Amino acid sequence: MAEVTIRELRNHGGEVVDRVARGDQVVITRAGQPVAELRPIPPPPLTAAALLVHWHRLPVVDPAAVRSDIDELIDPRL
């Protein structure tokens, strides 16, 4: 976790927020002591409707073909 002084935050606030938006967590310090923490907001959870849309886009899986592919890679006697 990175540390940034209040002065750095004031002078380079946009850059600090960009780092947080990319996933970094930043501790803000005053006189060398941590006083605050900036961290990204987690993305909102997927709704049931969105999950169904993703599910319908998944490719159809042929179990026999999957088994055949596995048997080609691994000794079937195991």
Side-chain angles (χ1 to χ4, degrees), residues 3-6 27-37:
E3 290 187 0
V4 172
T5 66
I6 289 179
V27 172
I28 309 303
T29 61
R30 175 189 288 156
Q33 298 299 314
V35 293
E37 181 180 318

Side-chain angles (χ1 to χ4, degrees), residues 42-74:
L46 290 174
T47 64
L51 288 173
L52 285 173
V53 167
H54 289 292
W55 180 67
H56 288 295
R57 291 181 183 165
L58 292 174
V60 176
V61 175
D62 177 7
V66 170
R67 178 61 188 213
S68 175
D69 290 344
I70 291 172
D71 287 344
E72 287 179 23
L73 296 172
I74 301 174

